[in-house]
Amino acid sequence: AESRCLGRPCPCSCDGGAAAFENMALQFGEEQFQEGLKELDEPARGAGWELFTETMGITIYRLYDKQTGLYEYKVFGVLPNCTPELCANVYMDLEYRKKWDGYVKELYEKDYDGQTAIYWEVKYPFPLSNRDYVYVRERRDLDLNGRKVWVMLAKSAPVSHCPEKRGVLRVKDYRQTLAIESDGGSGTKVFMNYFDNPGGMIPTWLINWAAKSGVPAFLTDLQKACNGYTEYCNSRRK
C-alpha cells in the first residue's frame, strides 16, 4: 500500500496533492489507519452503539462514554458529485477551509517544540465561550490492489508552548478518523468516527443539535466546497 504523510501541507494544495510535503514525526500507528479502512467495508457497531439519527443521506450512530458523560459518534454517508481524492484535498487544505467553514475563527499550522501542530479556534453561539484545539493529523492514500482509499486521522496534541486564551476553552480530548473512497460512481463514500469533549457547561440541546444537524451540515458544506475548489485554486494562481 502506498501512503503519504501530509503533516505539513503547503498553503494551498491546489496541485491535487502532488506537491512535496515535509515529513513530521508519525503520530499514528498503522493499525489506526487499518481500522478506518475496515469501517468502510463493515461498520463496527458492537454493544452499546445505537442509531442516533438519519438525515440528509447521512446515518449517525453513537456510543455513550461513561467517564465523560458524552458520546462518541460514527457517521456514514455519501457525498454526491465529489471524487474522494478531491474531497481529501479539500479536507486537508486549511487555507481553503477558512473560506467555506463559517465556524472557523482562527486556523493555522505552526511548529511547537519541534512538532508541527494545527491551532483551530471554533466559534460557539453566544453566550457560550469559543473553543480552541491544538491537534496533529496525518493522511494516507492507500492503494489496495487497485482499490484506492484515503484515510485521515487527527487527535489532540499536548503542546505546552501554545498558551490558552482568556475567554476561550481549550479542547484537550479530541480525536477523529475520516475514511473515504469512491461510491462506484461520481460520488464519495464516507466514514467518520469522532469524539470531542468541549468542556464547560454546554446545554444538552446544543450537543444534540451539533450531532444531528451540525455534522450533516458540515458534510454538505464540504461537498459544496469540493465543487468550488477548482475556481479557488485558479484564483490563487493569478
Side-chain angles (χ1 to χ4, degrees):
E2 176 191 358
S3 68
R4 184 170 68 232
C5 172
L6 299 189
R8 185 200 295 266
C10 61
C12 177
S13 53
C14 295
D15 57 358
F21 294 86
E22 295 183 40
N23 289 326
M24 62 178 287
L26 297 182
Q27 303 288 337
F28 305 93
E30 178 65 28
E31 69 282 356
Q32 292 173 278
F33 289 94
Q34 293 301 321
E35 281 299 317
L37 177 62
K38 290 178 183 178
E39 293 277 11
L40 271 175
D41 291 329
E42 186 175 350
R45 299 190 298 272
W49 285 97
E50 61 181 21
L51 177 64
F52 183 48
T53 187
E54 292 181 287
T55 180
M56 301 166 60
I58 304 297
T59 302
I60 303 177
Y61 293 86
R62 68 180 184 179
L63 175 68
Y64 183 70
D65 183 85
K66 295 180 180 178
Q67 184 175 356
T68 62
L70 300 171
Y71 287 91
E72 178 182 353
Y73 296 93
K74 289 185 178 182
V75 183
F76 305 88
V78 172
L79 299 183
N81 303 315
C82 177
T83 66
E85 183 174 14
L86 174 60
C87 182
N89 290 337
V90 169
Y91 180 82
M92 295 294 291
D93 193 327
L94 300 182
E95 289 299 316
Y96 185 45
R97 183 161 181 171
K98 288 187 279 189
K99 301 291 185 182
W100 62 266
D101 187 345
Y103 290 98
V104 172
K105 177 70 179 294
E106 284 189 72
L107 181 62
Y108 57 84
E109 214 165 28
K110 186 176 179 180
D111 284 338
Y112 298 97
D113 303 327
Q115 172 182 290
T116 301
I118 296 167
Y119 176 83
W120 177 31
E121 182 179 341
V122 180
K123 300 175 186 176
Y124 267 57
F126 180 83
L128 299 175
S129 300
N130 286 356
R131 265 59 176 178
D132 67 2
Y133 301 69
V134 180
Y135 69 96
V136 293
R137 66 178 182 174
E138 186 180 341
R139 163 180 161 176
R140 291 193 187 178
D141 301 354
L142 307 177
D143 189 331
L144 309 169
N145 298 319
R147 178 191 177 191
K148 296 184 178 181
V149 180
W150 290 256
V151 182
M152 288 146 282
L153 304 179
K155 66 179 179 181
S156 298
V159 174
S160 59
H161 288 186
C162 183
E164 298 182 23
K165 296 180 180 179
R166 184 175 182 180
V168 178
L169 294 181
R170 175 67 47 86
V171 176
K172 299 178 180 178
D173 190 1
Y174 160 73
R175 57 185 181 273
Q176 183 181 81
T177 297
L178 178 65
I180 58 177
E181 67 176 341
S182 172
D183 67 347
S186 60
T188 295
K189 181 180 177 182
V190 176
F191 162 72
M192 182 189 294
N193 180 205
Y194 74 95
F195 177 82
D196 188 323
N197 184 352
M201 301 297 292
I202 299 182
T204 302
W205 67 264
L206 182 56
I207 294 176
N208 288 336
W209 171 86
K212 284 188 175 182
S213 302
V215 172
F218 168 77
L219 292 176
T220 298
D221 288 345
L222 177 62
Q223 188 265 330
K224 292 178 180 178
C226 289
N227 293 337
Y229 197 49
T230 298
E231 181 179 353
Y232 167 78
C233 290
N234 290 336
S235 70
R236 288 289 298 264
R237 294 192 179 104
K238 292 180 179 178

